[in-house]
Amino acid sequence: DTGVSQDPRHKITKRGQNVTFRCDPISEHNRLYWYRQTLGQGPEFLTYFQNEAQLEKSRLLSDRFSAERPKGSFSTLEIQRTEQGDSAMYLCASSPKQKNTEAFFGQGTRLTVV
Amino acid sequence: RKEVEQDPGPFNVPEGATVAFNCTYSNSASQSFFWYRQDCRKEPKLLMSVYSSGNEDGRFTAQLNRASQYISLLIRDSKLSDSATYLCVVILTDSWGKLQFGAGTQVVVTP
């Protein structure tokens, strides 16, 4: 399977715990995006990388959220001190250099904070 | 005010009928426009880009009206498999990395 891969697919955590999600983009895609989606809403932009550089970060992303893409390949999204409001589907997407407006999404990580 | 607004629906459409719906965007600096499709509990997938002159892809037709700041999607000869949520996406001129999604329009095609 050469699509965008996200791990884990599901995560249940207690409030206050830290969680980390991983995204493996399509090989050679230079852009990588993180989005968050809640029921009945469209995906909300969180941040994006071009290669290893984090070029834009949403104001939605509080200090508890951090994302990295250290070698320009896979990316991690960490949420510290989780809150119930963080419960959502976290979607990763990547796009190729030649057509960077077409984003290919992974199946997402569903986070439930209890 | 949201950057991208859509009628959430649902639009209940008999099989074989035509359905059309719009999406409005607030920022006149919006540069690129797309329709994505999202099936229940699945990831969004690109359906089609929207060009200024309008474009067609099989049974799907997309139109852009820059003056009134909306895009539209029309589905002809609806199939049961067209049942999904259709997400409108815009990209601003000065923010090429940021796809801005609407909340989606749900379409339900019935036999």
Side-chain angles (χ1 to χ4, degrees):
Chain A
D1 186 350
T2 56
V4 177
S5 175
Q6 291 189 245
D7 183 69
R9 294 287 309 280
H10 303 273
K11 178 70 177 179
I12 300 174
T13 190
K14 290 184 179 179
R15 192 172 48 190
Q17 297 294 305
N18 299 345
V19 294
T20 300
F21 309 142
R22 177 180 170 123
C23 171
D24 287 272
I26 294 172
S27 181
E28 297 181 0
H29 277 194
N30 67 330
R31 286 198 174 185
L32 185 148
Y33 313 82
W34 285 101
Y35 282 81
R36 178 172 67 187
Q37 187 173 25
T38 53
L39 195 63
Q41 299 299 316
E44 289 179 294
F45 173 82
L46 294 179
T47 189
Y48 93 96
F49 293 84
Q50 182 157 294
N51 301 313
E52 65 275 9
Q54 187 173 19
L55 295 188
E56 190 169 345
K57 192 173 169 180
S58 168
R59 285 170 291 180
L60 292 173
L61 221 61
S62 75
D63 291 344
R64 297 184 298 105
F65 288 71
S66 63
E68 293 183 343
R69 193 183 184 197
K71 297 181 181 178
S73 56
F74 74 92
S75 176
T76 57
L77 177 69
E78 182 183 16
I79 309 173
Q80 296 181 324
R81 304 181 304 282
T82 52
E83 302 172 357
Q84 285 190 318
D86 297 332
S87 295
M89 175 72 84
Y90 289 83
L91 293 162
C92 176
S94 68
S95 61
K97 188 175 183 180
Q98 307 91 322
K99 199 172 183 183
N100 58 26
T101 55
E102 180 173 354
F104 295 82
F105 282 83
Q107 293 182 297
T109 294
R110 182 170 295 283
L111 173 66
T112 303
V113 182
V114 297
Chain B
R1 184 183 177 187
K2 290 185 178 179
E3 294 274 2
V4 182
E5 300 217 43
Q6 297 184 247
D7 182 340
F11 285 67
N12 294 297
V13 187
E15 197 173 4
T18 296
V19 61
F21 41 89
N22 294 339
C23 157
T24 58
Y25 59 95
S26 61
N27 195 322
S28 59
S30 298
Q31 182 72 11
S32 299
F33 309 88
F34 307 87
W35 284 104
Y36 275 67
R37 170 194 169 126
Q38 186 170 28
D39 294 309
C40 189
R41 298 185 178 278
K42 298 286 189 181
E43 73 275 19
K45 293 184 179 178
L46 178 66
L47 178 67
M48 59 195 300
S49 302
V50 185
Y51 303 122
S52 296
S53 54
N55 50 299
E56 196 173 299
D57 183 0
R59 299 180 293 105
F60 297 82
T61 301
Q63 297 278 355
L64 167 63
N65 186 315
R66 283 193 184 272
S68 299
Q69 296 187 192
Y70 74 86
I71 67 173
S72 64
L73 182 66
L74 182 145
I75 308 173
R76 286 186 303 279
D77 187 24
S78 298
K79 311 291 184 191
L80 295 176
S81 57
D82 294 333
S83 296
T85 296
Y86 291 84
L87 299 163
C88 172
V89 179
V90 305
I91 298 179
L92 298 178
T93 303
D94 60 352
S95 188
W96 275 101
K98 185 176 173 181
L99 283 70
Q100 299 194 92
F101 285 80
T105 295
Q106 186 184 8
V107 172
V108 179
V109 182
T110 54

